[in-house]
Amino acid sequence: MLTKKELEHAKTVLGREPTETELGMLDVLWSEHCSYKSSKRWFYLFKTEGDNVALGIGEGAGLVDIGDGYLAAVAMESHNHPSQIDPYNGAATGVGGIIRDVISQGCKAIGLMNCLRFGHPSKPHNAYLLENVVRGISEYGNSVGIPVVGGELEFDDSYDDNCLVNVVCVGWVKPEEVVRSSAKTPGHLLVLFGSTTGRDGIAGVSFASETFSDEEEDNRGAVQVGDPLSKKIVIDTLRELIEEKLLEGLQDFGGGGMTSAAGELARAGGTGVEKDL
Amino acid sequence: MVIAVLRFPGTNNENDILRALSLIDGANPILVPSRKGLAGLKDADGIVIPGGFSYGDYLRAGAVASVESITEGVRDLAEDGKPVIGICNGFQILSEMGLLPGALLSNESARFVCKWIYLRVSDNATMFTERMEGSLIRLPIAHAEGNYYCSDDEFDSLKDEFRIPFRYCNEAGEVDDSANPNGSIDNIAGIINQKGNVLGLMPHPERASRAVLGSSDGLVILENFVRATKC
């Protein structure tokens, strides 16, 4: 949810009251999920530059030159809140999202890893979360044909009310096949492809960024339902698009939806986007 | 020889198969997305249907893929005596198509099973098991629906016609209940059709095609398959 201060800032910049649509867009873009507004201050702790870093922070996946004409891609993401509400789908769509980050950079995704934290499994609810999160990760990876090659797991009482589900995807790409997240040619059309958005997942990032309340059950509809079949079709389609050199830019369509995806493409390319809703 | 490696939406072992086949002299494996229909198979001398989750395995594993139009081409090639292999989901598709008898039910454990297993290759010569008759081989399996089931009559004819080339066994080569990973009748891991040119098996020969993968036992099956495309 937007803070009062953010709303004031929006009004100052716009010079008027934001419309309902604009409010919805700001709510998504300035959510923790999309803008990292509370965790951003810690990013300096990560090393993101170096001789072998081909692409640092800012796009779907980091790219590191591993020699012999190959770049390794690594992306990592948490799906804590969704997994706490709906462990199977929350974890599965976390995997789906992180694969998407890697393939949208033009890379071939080849391995998955995870880093999981739960309260002690002697408590039934923790055991339920653990079993379903693990099933969500493994079944999604298996269905799209990307193996889970490693992971780590710890239990501590402090995770009783909020499990941590972090997933990692690793891939590779040749430098000449890297696809950037930018739309720089005026007049080009943006094409949206992939699985459909249903009633599930709507405004998911706003929910995912909020502090938990007692309404966990009410939020279940905000967790997207995993669709590995569509993901595999997207992976294959993307490979063909890249091989036929049909892409100028590409942005994954994440929790920020069209607001975020189209905006990021245009901003990176120094262009604008017209959208008819 | 041109070997068509079919990819239905959701198939995910196609690259493993292409890579394994590319190790074999005389094989020219090509990826054929199922949307190409019959035209995609017009030069094919043999067909591999890889594993994965065709159409998400919705309805039943392999059920939706089995009615795609490209399967008519698979039927025609099989009729002509060309070799056809269905691995894992491919086996499920071939049985759904009726090219192979029986069905693959959910594993007896009701769980997905992913591990290395041993297979006893039958003594009887088949197109796919040349040079390995009677041997003990090691391949990986990875499936939730690999529990082979068929009627008593079908089982009798499979047995009488020596159409069970692969059966699960233990490390010592004994075919017994303890070595059965999924509840299959008579530890059946793979069967062939009456003509002997269509093989369905649950284990993955392509994942055991190079020493670095842990075994190269599976390569022999694929080599036999490639040789058969030349006949």
Side-chain angles (χ1 to χ4, degrees):
Chain A
M1 203 150 42
L2 286 180
T3 64
K4 213 167 179 180
K5 203 172 141 200
E6 287 166 346
L7 186 60
E8 287 308 318
H9 182 66
K11 279 186 198 165
T12 318
V13 173
L14 289 166
R16 58 174 166 80
E17 289 285 329
T19 64
E20 201 178 324
T21 308
E22 286 166 342
L23 275 177
M25 291 167 73
L26 289 174
D27 185 34
V28 166
L29 290 178
W30 290 352
S31 68
E32 176 63 28
H33 183 94
C34 290
S35 74
Y36 301 100
K37 59 188 174 193
S38 77
S39 46
K40 211 173 191 168
R41 75 191 77 159
W42 303 108
F43 284 4
Y44 76 93
L45 290 169
F46 293 108
K47 191 170 164 57
T48 56
E49 285 168 8
D51 290 343
N52 295 322
V53 176
L55 186 63
I57 219 158
E59 293 191 20
L63 300 177
V64 178
D65 192 335
I66 51 170
D68 295 333
Y70 290 103
L71 303 177
V74 187
M76 177 169 179
E77 168 168 286
S78 66
H79 238 220
N80 308 331
H81 281 46
S83 303
Q84 182 77 28
I85 299 291
D86 181 346
Y88 179 80
N89 284 303
T93 53
V95 172
I98 206 64
I99 293 171
R100 201 181 52 223
D101 279 334
V102 168
I103 61 172
S104 66
Q105 215 76 63
C107 307
K108 188 171 168 8
I110 55 169
L112 295 166
M113 295 178 72
N114 55 68
C115 168
L116 309 175
R117 297 288 181 272
F118 294 93
H120 204 275
S122 55
K123 293 183 188 162
H125 190 64
N126 292 334
Y128 154 80
L129 291 176
L130 172 65
E131 185 188 339
N132 286 285
V133 163
V134 169
R135 205 165 55 86
I137 292 172
S138 65
E139 288 189 9
Y140 197 103
N142 191 29
S143 300
V144 294
I146 303 174
V148 179
V149 294
E152 52 138 24
L153 172 64
E154 268 182 37
F155 300 107
D156 189 275
D157 290 340
S158 61
Y159 301 113
D160 266 357
D161 298 321
N162 197 352
C163 65
L164 300 186
V165 175
N166 288 279
V167 285
V168 177
C169 181
V170 184
W172 64 266
V173 65
K174 291 180 180 167
E176 63 272 20
E177 286 180 351
V178 172
V179 180
R180 298 297 299 269
S181 312
S182 118
K184 53 183 185 296
T185 313
H188 275 187
L189 297 174
L190 295 181
V191 177
L192 173 63
F193 69 102
S195 100
T196 52
T197 302
R199 285 185 61 192
D200 57 316
I202 294 288
V205 298
S206 303
F207 135 74
S209 306
E210 279 168 26
T211 309
F212 271 131
S213 62
D214 296 332
E215 291 123 36
E216 287 189 15
E217 284 301 317
D218 297 345
N219 282 328
R220 201 179 283 266
V223 179
Q224 204 171 10
V225 175
D227 183 0
L229 171 61
S230 294
K231 182 57 51 71
K232 177 58 168 65
I233 297 170
V234 167
I235 291 172
D236 294 340
T237 308
L238 205 46
R239 200 40 32 207
E240 291 183 27
L241 288 172
I242 291 168
E243 275 164 14
E244 291 174 29
K245 302 192 190 319
L246 293 170
L247 290 177
E248 183 187 86
L250 181 71
Q251 173 73 44
D252 78 304
F253 196 87
M258 208 183 308
T259 309
S260 171
E264 285 178 33
L265 274 170
R267 186 172 183 276
T271 53
V273 178
E274 279 178 28
K275 283 185 272 189
D276 282 325
L277 295 176
Chain B
M1 306 307 277
V2 176
I3 294 160
V5 177
L6 297 201
R7 184 185 74 198
F8 294 94
T11 297
N12 65 25
N13 286 184
E14 67 276 19
N15 289 322
D16 308 52
I17 302 272
L18 288 165
R19 186 158 178 189
L21 288 174
S22 71
L23 300 171
I24 301 170
D25 276 344
N28 175 22
I30 56 164
L31 179 68
V32 179
S34 63
R35 64 168 191 271
K36 301 229 158 131
L38 293 178
L41 296 178
K42 73 178 193 316
D43 300 322
D45 302 302
I47 295 176
V48 181
I49 309 180
F53 294 75
S54 57
Y55 289 95
D57 275 355
Y58 299 146
L59 190 59
R60 264 194 324 274
V64 182
S66 73
V67 294
E68 248 217 79
S69 61
I70 198 167
T71 57
E72 284 312 310
V74 178
R75 244 179 251 282
D76 291 346
L77 248 86
E79 199 101 323
D80 285 351
K82 298 285 188 194
V84 175
I85 293 191
I87 299 164
C88 199
N89 195 221
F91 185 9
Q92 293 161 341
I93 293 169
L94 290 174
S95 76
E96 284 286 339
M97 284 173 66
L99 279 181
L100 292 172
L104 283 313
L105 309 181
S106 291
N107 295 345
E108 213 167 51
S109 63
R111 297 182 80 96
F112 183 84
V113 49
C114 176
K115 62 178 184 183
W116 287 85
I117 48 88
Y118 289 91
L119 293 175
R120 170 61 79 193
V121 184
S122 90
D123 293 327
N124 308 97
T126 77
M127 183 187 276
F128 303 97
T129 56
E130 231 171 281
R131 293 181 293 143
M132 57 197 313
E133 293 91 347
S135 66
L136 176 66
I137 63 171
R138 188 167 163 267
L139 299 181
I141 53 169
H143 57 247
E145 290 99 8
N147 177 0
Y148 184 75
Y149 174 82
C150 63
S151 68
D152 291 345
D153 288 349
E154 284 169 327
F155 179 62
D156 288 343
S157 76
L158 281 176
K159 242 177 29 184
D160 296 346
E161 295 160 10
F162 306 111
R163 289 163 52 200
I164 311 173
F166 301 110
R167 293 162 79 207
Y168 300 108
C169 66
N170 61 21
E171 202 172 346
E174 296 152 353
V175 177
D176 60 17
D177 277 353
S178 66
N180 190 334
N182 50 29
S184 292
I185 289 182
D186 202 33
N187 285 35
I188 289 177
I191 55 169
I192 54 175
N193 65 345
Q194 251 159 346
K195 232 174 180 171
N197 65 319
V198 177
L199 167 69
L201 76 169
M202 289 314 292
H204 288 271
E206 78 282 9
R207 294 185 195 173
S209 55
R210 281 172 290 154
V212 69
L213 297 176
S215 163
S216 51
D217 291 351
L219 192 61
V220 186
I221 300 172
L222 298 175
E223 283 170 346
N224 285 330
F225 164 75
V226 170
R227 184 151 10 87
T229 62
K230 297 170 183 165
C231 300

